[in-house]
Each structure stands twice: as C-alpha cells, then as structure tokens.
C-alpha cells in the first residue's frame, strides 16, 4: 500500500521536531553548550572573599544547597577544601570565610 | 533553594580542547534575565542542585513510567571540567596497565568487534535521599530523584579484558573518564573494582541508553554499567581502563564513597565510624509515586496506589502496602518483570470509605529475603537511604 503524501509530511515534521537541537552533530563530533549560570551568595561580612575563593572549583550553589551546618561543620568543610582539594587560601581567608558561612548559612542557635 | 539563578544565553567559547574532546568552562557573567535554566538534552523541569559541575534531579512524576526517558534521567558530575564536545573519530577507549597487550578501541571497534549485551538496570546515586537524613549531613542534597530505570546496551567488560589479557597477580581494575578537576590539586575522578568483580558477566561498557546514544550529560560516548551497585562506579565518558597490580588508592576510593563496615552500613546519628569499606551493592528500596504526598482523594472513589521497588541485583518478590500507618499490610500486585536489575512497578487498589488523613507506606522484599527498615539508618556521608517511605493523603 502506498503511504499518502500528507502522512509522510506529518511523519517527517514529527522527526524534525523530535530531534534535540541542544546537541549538535558536525561530522563525527557531538557538542553541547552548557547554560551560563552564576549563583550568588547571600549578603554578609566576608561575602566577597567567600565568593571569590569558593567559586574557583565549583559553583556557589554547592554552598547554598547545604543544610544549616554548625561552626564545626563549616570549619570541617573549609578544611576539606584546603587539605583534600588544595583550595589556595590563607589562614586569614579561612577565618573570614568560616565566620561568614557560620553566620549566614549556619545553624541558628 | 534560596539562591537566585541567572542566565545569559549560552557559552560563546569552548574550554580546554585536547584530542577531539572539549571540556566545558562556564561563563562567569551574571545575567539580568531570569529564565529557567535548561541543560542540553534535558527536560526543563529537572531539579537543579548545582550548576558547575551540573547536578540535576528527576522529579518523582517521571517515575510513573517503567523506563526513565533519557531527557529526564538525573545528572551527577563531581569535577567541573566535564566533556562538552567529543569527536568519535578521535575518541578511543584505552586498556592498559598490567596487561599482555594494550588496547586502543574506537566506537566502531566496540560496536563491530564485540557481542552486544542489553538489559534494564536501575541507576541510583549513593546519596539518593540524602536531604532526608537526620541529623542532616553535607553533600548533594538529593530528594529521591537521583535514580532512574534505563535499558543499557553495550559491550561486556570481561570480553574487552580478555582481549587485553590480564596478567597474573593483578588485583584491581581502575576506570577513568574524560572529566578533570578544575585545579591540578583536585584528585581525578577514578573508580576501581576488584578483578573478580570486574570479570562478572553483567558489567558492561554502555554506548546506548534506551536504544539511543548516551546523552552528553549522562556520559557520552560510553560509560561503565555495574548493575546492582551504586552509580558512583558507573564512570561516565569512560576512556581509560587500567589493570592494577595492587589495590588502587585514589581519593574517590580510599577516602570518599565509603560506608561503615557493618551489616547495616550504619552508626548512631552524629557519630564517627571505626572502620569503613568502599560502598558497593544497593539495598532494597520502594517508593510510592502515585498519589503524591499531600494529594487530595475523593471518599469512596476507587483509586490505585502505584509505586516502584528494586534491589541490588535480586528480584523483588513482594511489595507490602499499608494505608493505616503500618498497622496492617497487604500485598500489592507487581507489574512487568524486566529482569533482576530493573525496578518493578507495583499497584494497589484502594477505595477509602471514610474521610480523613491517611498515611500510606510501602515495603519491598527481595528474592533473598532482604527488606527495608522502619527507621532510617544513619551514616556520616548520607548514603544508602532505604527506610520504608511514608506519604500522607487527604480523603474527603
């Protein structure tokens, strides 16, 4: 049986529609573009230093998504970033950042 | 999430380019527009946990389907430089280390020179449900959407290893992907399996998900599939397999992704474990998908409660449902069986006769008698949540 022309056109349109334009194929190369996103932190003393340091390796939503941690909890996180991942930070930076995180993203008690 | 997200069109320039692979750098400019942030090849309603590297969670309603669509599957990367462009003519899978013969395989080699294996398997992040831990723990604050059920197609790892020939005295196999750390001091994301585990029949290197190629954010061009085990081992954008003469001791094995070394992988809330081991096989879980928590239901109207259940490689034998907060339990009907690594859907007909608030619970048992605890089990990394979940509905 012959497929009616209008059906072919509808099917072709559906195919084009189903193709995801968010990945590009150029010959044998597949590419995506990531959205430009830059989450920010809440205002507070030390925000600028925290944003500058904690944005180097990952976005700042790594901080804002966390539950409210105690001072000990935030100190452990910042120490982990320094000792395990090599965050390039002075002792003074660490002090200011831990204070900021505890006050702004810490447990209220 | 309380952060304001902004976006300014798309990246203009690519990041680092080596041998046909580009690793994404993110634009650092704050935008004025306030549009939803959409990641390539992904639905716009995925829940954004972090943007660089991307971590996206699947909203529960997608789990009404037996198979999770590629564009709804969750995304979880560790290191900021993720592959954003791959040239299949240049990309190669390398097998090296303690082998008789090093291999360099192209995508065509994988597809043409090896037998294809296909099965459906649950992929679940170790930290799925972490945000429900009490006391709370730091890490990715996932609800229950860091999982999915996908049909994977690819090549058996053991066939590839047989091609290379594992030398006597080998202990582990290490798996490395194209992603790299943002600074040289950040340990590369490399995972390892014992040689015995790696040679199991069902471990594959997948180049297909649900019949199509892998989405870039889920590990294009190939990823390791270790069915029954947590997804931390399912290395994305895999390109190097290294046979190790001794135990591999990279950060992501030796320090991260570890659980208390006891039967429940649990310790008292807030304490520290004495001894830990690498996380491994998944425990039993069941979730209630429909109705949703807090939904309204009409008195006396016949409804069907629906959910899913799975376990780490042992089929689900029974799902028991309670509509009276755990006082009485009845068996649910199980749906189509897609094998021991897949999740199974379950259905429970219900006609609430009296108005009021009802607590619905579901509990699964697998074929070796493993089940779920009533109270949540705690560990400091927030892994392996599997308590019996509860939802509340309003009948009236």
């Amino acid at each position: 049986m012959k497929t009616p022309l209008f059906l072919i056109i509808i099917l072709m349109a559906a195919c084009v529609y189903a193709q995801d334009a968010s990945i590009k194929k150029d010959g044998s190369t597949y590419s995506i573009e990531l959205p430009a996103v830059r989450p920010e932190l809440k205002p507070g003393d030390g925000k600028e230093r925290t944003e500058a340091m904690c944005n180097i390796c990952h976005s700042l939503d790594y901080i804002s998504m966390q539950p409210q941690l105690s001072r000990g909890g935030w100190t452990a996180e910042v120490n982990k970033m320094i000792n395990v991942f090599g965050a390039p930070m002075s002792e003074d930076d660490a002090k200011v950042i831990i204070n900021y995180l505890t006050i702004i993203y810490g447990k209220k008690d | 999430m309380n952060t304001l997200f902004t976006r300014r069109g798309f990246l203009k320039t690519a990041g680092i380019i080596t041998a046909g692979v580009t690793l994404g750098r993110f634009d650092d400019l704050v935008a004025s527009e306030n549009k939803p942030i959409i990641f390539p090849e992904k639905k716009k309603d995925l829940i954004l946990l972090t943007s660089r590297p991307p971590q996206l969670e699947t909203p529960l309603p997608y789990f009404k389907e037996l198979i999770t669509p590629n564009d709804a599957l969750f995304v979880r990367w560790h290191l900021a430089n993720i592959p954003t462009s791959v040239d299949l003519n240049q990309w190669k899978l390398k097998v090296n280390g303690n082998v008789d013969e090093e291999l360099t395989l192209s995508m065509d080699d994988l597809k043409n020179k090896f037998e294809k294996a296909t099965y459906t398997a649950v992929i679940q992040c170790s930290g799925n449900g972490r945000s429900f831990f009490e006391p709370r723990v730091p890490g990715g604050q996932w609800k229950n959407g860091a999982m999915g059920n996908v049909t994977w197609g690819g090549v058996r790892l053991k066939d590839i290893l047989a091609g290379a020939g594992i030398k006597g005295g080998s202990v582990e196999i290490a798996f490395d992907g194209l992603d790299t750390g943002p600074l040289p001091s950040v340990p590369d994301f490399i995972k390892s399996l014992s040689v015995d585990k790696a040679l199991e029949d069902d471990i594959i290197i997948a180049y297909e998900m649900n019949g199509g190629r892998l989405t870039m954010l889920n590990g294009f061009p190939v990823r390791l599939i270790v069915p029954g085990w947590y997804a931390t081992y399912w290395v994305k954008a895999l390109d190097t397999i290294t046979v190790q003469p001794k135990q591999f001791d990279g950060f992501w094995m030796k320090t991260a992704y570890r659980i208390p070394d006891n039967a429940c992988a649990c310790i008292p809330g807030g304490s520290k474990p004495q001894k830990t081991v690498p996380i491994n096989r998944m425990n039993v879980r069941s979730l209630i998908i429909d109705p949703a928590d807090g939904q309204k239901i009409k008195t006396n109207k016949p409804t069907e409660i629906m959910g899913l259940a799975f376990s780490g490689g042992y089929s689900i034998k029974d799902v028991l449902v309670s509509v009276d907060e755990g006082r009485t339990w009845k068996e649910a009907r199980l749906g189509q069986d897609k094998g021991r690594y897949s999740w199974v859907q379950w259905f429970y007909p219900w006609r609430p006769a009296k108005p009021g608030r009802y607590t619905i619970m579901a509990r699964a048992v697998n074929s070796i008698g493993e089940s779920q605890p009533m109270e949540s089990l705690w560990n400091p990394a927030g892994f392996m949540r599997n308590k019996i979940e509860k939802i509340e509905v309003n009948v009236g």
Side-chain angles (χ1 to χ4, degrees):
Chain A
M1 198 184 77
K2 269 181 113 185
T3 315
L5 185 64
F6 78 91
L7 240 177
I8 293 174
I9 291 169
I10 288 174
L11 283 171
M12 276 170 61
C15 266
V16 170
Y17 182 75
Q19 253 180 25
D20 190 340
S22 60
I23 183 154
K24 290 189 179 59
K25 186 170 185 279
D26 180 6
S28 55
T29 302
Y30 291 79
S31 311
I32 57 166
E33 285 176 344
L34 294 164
V37 194
R38 192 185 190 280
E40 291 172 69
L41 295 179
K42 288 194 247 176
D45 270 358
K47 170 181 189 272
E48 285 71 26
R49 264 210 247 184
T50 309
E51 285 196 338
M53 180 54 61
C54 307
N55 193 45
I56 297 176
C57 299
H58 48 66
S59 47
L60 296 167
D61 38 17
Y62 265 81
I63 292 173
S64 50
M65 106 170 129
Q66 299 306 325
Q68 294 178 339
L69 302 177
S70 63
R71 178 171 288 272
W74 277 121
T75 306
E77 279 303 324
V78 172
N79 285 338
K80 178 177 171 185
M81 299 308 134
I82 300 169
N83 299 328
V84 177
F85 298 133
M89 205 179 325
S90 70
E91 263 177 50
D92 188 55
D93 286 335
K95 223 170 79 186
V96 169
I97 291 172
I98 291 168
N99 260 332
Y100 165 82
L101 293 170
T102 310
I103 292 166
I104 306 300
Y105 291 96
K107 255 195 199 115
K108 314 269 183 290
D109 52 15
Chain B
M1 232 180 301
N2 40 25
T3 317
L4 178 73
F5 290 103
T6 48
R7 139 195 164 114
R8 193 201 57 138
F10 284 111
L11 266 187
K12 289 211 186 58
T13 47
I16 313 156
I17 307 181
T18 45
V21 172
T22 307
L23 299 179
R25 283 264 176 83
F26 293 69
D27 205 324
D28 242 16
L29 291 169
V30 186
S32 49
E33 301 159 70
N34 205 351
K35 287 184 191 156
I37 295 150
I38 305 169
F39 279 81
E41 303 184 275
K42 291 292 164 185
K43 295 271 191 201
K44 63 172 183 288
D45 59 350
L46 295 196
I47 303 157
L48 180 64
L49 266 63
T50 65
S51 43
R52 171 175 52 100
Q55 302 191 71
L56 309 170
E57 166 159 4
T58 308
L60 288 186
Y62 284 107
F63 300 144
K64 288 179 189 172
E65 304 296 329
L66 178 55
I67 298 294
T68 312
N70 293 357
D71 57 5
L73 186 66
F74 78 99
V75 171
R76 197 278 187 253
W77 293 87
H78 300 78
L79 307 178
N81 296 333
I82 65 168
T84 54
S85 177
V86 178
D87 180 350
L88 287 184
N89 281 348
Q90 292 189 51
W91 173 85
K92 297 282 185 302
L93 177 64
K94 297 166 285 283
V95 185
N96 56 29
N98 214 28
V99 291
D100 296 330
E101 191 195 338
E102 294 198 352
L103 300 181
T104 304
L105 302 165
S106 67
M107 182 61 95
D108 284 343
D109 291 338
L110 293 179
K111 288 185 172 167
N112 302 327
K113 295 189 180 160
F114 297 89
E115 191 193 334
K116 185 176 176 186
T118 305
Y119 53 76
T120 301
V122 172
I123 174 168
Q124 183 185 214
C125 177
S126 313
N128 197 23
R130 178 180 290 123
S131 66
F132 302 121
F133 267 60
E134 206 48 68
R136 298 283 301 268
V137 294
Q141 298 300 308
W142 305 101
K143 290 177 275 191
N144 283 325
M147 62 173 200
N149 198 37
V150 173
T151 301
W152 307 98
V155 178
R156 286 190 186 84
L157 176 61
K158 67 167 191 182
D159 291 351
I160 288 179
L161 291 173
I166 300 178
K167 278 198 178 141
S170 299
V171 175
E172 288 204 324
I173 319 267
F175 303 89
D176 189 7
L178 295 170
D179 53 334
T180 62
L183 292 185
S185 56
V186 175
D188 198 5
F189 189 77
I190 303 174
K191 299 296 292 188
S192 65
L193 297 172
S194 72
V195 168
D196 283 352
K197 178 71 190 170
L199 292 175
E200 281 180 6
D201 280 350
D202 291 343
I203 298 181
I204 63 171
I205 292 168
Y207 49 75
E208 251 181 43
M209 57 194 281
N210 295 329
R213 60 167 173 72
L214 267 57
T215 59
M216 190 73 80
L217 291 176
N218 292 114
F220 182 81
V222 301
R223 78 182 295 170
L224 190 67
I225 305 295
V226 187
W229 281 34
Y230 286 98
T232 180
Y233 293 98
W234 302 30
V235 173
K236 292 177 292 299
L238 177 66
D239 77 330
T240 309
I241 299 176
T242 307
V243 179
Q244 306 276 337
K246 57 183 176 44
Q247 196 153 336
F248 174 76
D249 66 354
F251 169 77
W252 300 99
M253 287 302 299
K254 195 179 150 195
T255 313
Y257 284 105
R258 297 183 72 95
I259 53 172
D261 184 15
N262 58 33
C264 67
C266 69
I267 53 173
S271 65
K272 284 206 172 70
Q274 299 266 317
K275 194 167 173 260
T276 62
V277 291
I279 195 168
N280 48 84
R281 192 167 66 85
M282 293 195 288
N283 53 20
V284 179
R285 288 201 82 179
S286 59
L287 290 183
I288 302 157
I289 303 300
D290 193 26
D293 192 26
Q295 198 172 312
K296 287 197 174 67
I297 288 174
K298 282 216 170 70
T299 314
N300 261 321
K301 187 176 175 246
T303 54
E304 187 171 56
I305 304 170
M306 175 266 158
L308 58 88
F310 60 93
S311 87
Y314 297 89
S315 299
I316 294 298
K317 206 181 74 196
D318 273 321
V319 175
L320 302 167
V321 174
S322 172
V323 292
D324 55 10
E325 208 175 352
R327 277 186 289 277
T328 59
W329 296 84
K330 278 195 203 124
E331 267 178 40
R333 172 176 66 84
L334 300 186
Q336 189 192 348
D337 178 5
K338 286 189 84 71
R340 64 198 181 105
Y341 299 119
S342 170
W343 70 42
V344 65
Q345 295 182 307
W346 54 262
F347 305 91
Y348 185 89
W350 188 41
R351 187 174 171 174
K354 275 190 231 142
R357 282 176 86 80
Y358 288 77
T359 299
I360 306 176
M361 299 162 78
R363 170 174 180 256
V365 186
N366 73 5
S367 63
I368 55 168
E370 294 172 334
S371 188
Q372 304 176 252
M374 195 61 89
E375 298 302 328
S376 36
L377 305 175
W378 194 89
N379 59 67
F383 291 149
M384 300 179 72
R385 178 184 166 90
N386 80 328
K387 84 178 280 264
I388 297 169
E389 304 283 351
K390 289 180 187 180
I391 64 153
E392 275 194 10
V393 295
N394 283 310
V395 174

